[in-house]
Amino acid sequence: MQQISLLEKSNGNKISVVPTMGYLHKGHLSLVEKAKNFSEITIVTLFVNPTQFAPNEDYSKYPRDFKRDVELCEKAGVNYLFMPDALEMYPIGFSAKINIGRVTEDFEGKFRPFHFEGVATIVAKLLNSTLPNFAVFGQKDYQQSLLVKKIVADLNFPLDIIVAPTLRESDGLAMSSRNIYLSDEDRLEASILFVSLEKARNAIENGERNRKIINAIMHKTLRSVKNLRIDYASSALADTLESPDEFLPGETIVLLLAVYLGKTRLIDNTILKIPSILKSNNSAFEEFKA
Ligand code: AMP
């Protein structure tokens, strides 16, 4: 893979890489489209990375359809599909681990303790395998997008990271390979994630700045679905993931949530700015201040 990339570069071509775990959907393909705007050559990597799954998680049953993925990549004009197997990436004796620290510690990091170490290590390996000028990641995995920016900045990877917006189904559910796990009933309820983000956004646009109240709005909305269990539904500063009691006008924040709907774990997020000028009436949210 490195030799191919070096050859492409020596021919004057720029390279973008789109790392994925396969079972591709339109969200992944939107990253490919984005990549094509930046470079002559697009590489998609497809690797279901065992080290980012805990033993009790869904590594073995993660959906896979390599044949379909190859077809989708061909159709989308992807130049190279890099599909190493697990032993190629982790030969016997492999022992490196990359720990990125701070932005990975809270939220997903709390509920999936070794996840981001696995992600950071495989991202570094995939970047070093494909030697791209650009790497495209989705905002859908918000903490992951912060993590890859930190890897590149802290460890001097010579490339630019591009973060692309989340593609959603018509009811607002973020596209995900894991949506296929949802029962018909749970699929109908799954739009509640987007609804809760939008309710919190609406409150913020109407003047709410108190972090606990913002979080309570998301929790209350999510709790309207019986079969749902909340891992977290929280707001934080977008760049650092710090959690002040009160957000300040002009600050960019992120609303982050992770829930189980039945047995399926779903995550979503939205980024927004705390408005500088308050609309006068925010009484609609008084009930959360108790
Ligand atoms: P995955 O295969 O789930 O590891 O995702 C591979 C890449 O696609 C990651 O950068 C994800 O953030 C991104 N991605 C996943 N779902 C979406 C979506 N609905 N819209 C845009 N990008 C996505």
Side-chain angles (χ1 to χ4, degrees):
M1 186 70 254
Q2 285 173 333
Q3 280 173 14
I4 289 170
S5 290
L6 289 172
L7 186 67
E8 290 290 357
K9 281 178 163 173
S10 71
N11 288 335
N13 291 327
K14 291 232 182 320
I15 298 174
S16 295
V17 69
V18 180
T20 80
M21 297 206 299
Y23 210 72
L24 301 179
H25 51 67
K26 285 184 191 153
H28 295 117
L29 298 175
S30 74
L31 304 190
V32 170
E33 282 313 306
K34 188 101 179 173
K36 284 157 78 179
N37 297 330
F38 287 87
S39 61
E40 289 79 13
I41 298 295
T42 308
I43 302 173
V44 167
T45 70
L46 196 168
F47 183 62
V48 185
N49 176 34
T51 66
Q52 70 190 66
F53 291 81
N56 62 332
E57 292 180 347
D58 57 345
Y59 174 67
S60 57
K61 70 170 184 126
Y62 194 82
R64 293 164 169 88
D65 189 342
F66 296 140
K67 191 165 163 273
R68 184 171 153 272
D69 288 345
V70 171
E71 282 166 16
L72 285 172
C73 283
E74 270 174 358
K75 239 195 203 158
V78 170
N79 301 89
Y80 299 98
L81 182 55
F82 181 54
M83 293 172 50
D85 66 29
L87 260 179
E88 240 177 318
M89 291 315 253
Y90 301 113
I92 307 291
F94 183 93
S95 62
K97 277 183 188 146
I98 299 184
N99 188 322
I100 289 298
R102 209 144 140 242
V103 291
T104 62
E105 282 162 6
D106 207 349
F107 310 112
E108 282 298 280
K110 245 188 199 148
F111 287 88
R112 305 183 71 189
F114 301 103
H115 172 68
F116 284 126
E117 223 169 59
V119 172
T121 309
I122 197 62
V123 165
K125 283 175 71 70
L126 291 170
L127 296 178
N128 279 333
S129 303
T130 54
L131 304 173
N133 304 93
F134 304 95
V136 187
F137 290 85
Q139 186 196 312
K140 160 87 191 333
D141 297 273
Y142 184 74
Q143 265 182 291
Q144 174 175 284
S145 75
L146 291 184
L147 169 150
V148 294
K149 285 182 193 162
K150 284 292 280 175
I151 295 179
V152 165
D154 289 3
L155 302 179
N156 307 95
F157 278 74
L159 56 103
D160 290 323
I161 296 294
I162 295 149
V163 179
T166 302
L167 241 73
R168 298 177 180 282
E169 304 288 356
S170 55
D171 66 348
L173 175 65
M175 290 180 186
S176 164
S177 308
R178 288 191 168 98
N179 290 350
I180 193 175
Y181 297 152
L182 293 167
S183 67
D184 290 350
E185 212 171 282
D186 289 342
R187 173 63 193 86
L188 285 176
E189 304 277 31
S191 61
I192 198 71
L193 278 79
F194 182 65
V195 170
S196 72
L197 292 173
E198 286 305 296
K199 280 210 170 151
R201 173 199 294 284
N202 191 30
I204 292 162
E205 283 170 358
N206 281 288
E208 190 52 69
R209 295 172 182 172
N210 181 297
R211 186 175 55 82
K212 285 193 177 140
I213 293 173
I214 294 167
N215 297 355
I217 292 166
M218 291 191 282
H219 275 254
K220 185 174 182 204
T221 311
L222 291 169
R223 278 202 301 269
S224 68
V225 170
K226 272 210 189 89
N227 202 20
L228 182 148
R229 200 185 85 219
I230 302 172
D231 266 358
Y232 58 85
S234 304
S235 45
L237 293 174
D239 289 342
T240 59
L241 296 186
E242 282 163 344
S243 303
D245 291 343
E246 197 87 12
F247 296 115
L248 302 175
E251 282 181 330
T252 303
I253 70 163
V254 60
L255 310 177
L256 293 159
L257 46 90
V259 306
Y260 277 93
L261 200 46
K263 286 188 175 148
T264 308
R265 191 168 185 278
L266 301 173
I267 61 172
D268 202 351
N269 69 80
T270 195
I271 299 176
L272 69 161
K273 211 170 178 174
I274 302 292
S276 305
I277 300 166
L278 289 186
K279 291 185 189 168
S280 58
N281 179 5
N282 65 355
S283 61
F285 306 105
E286 287 298 320
E287 61 173 306
F288 293 101
K289 293 187 179 175

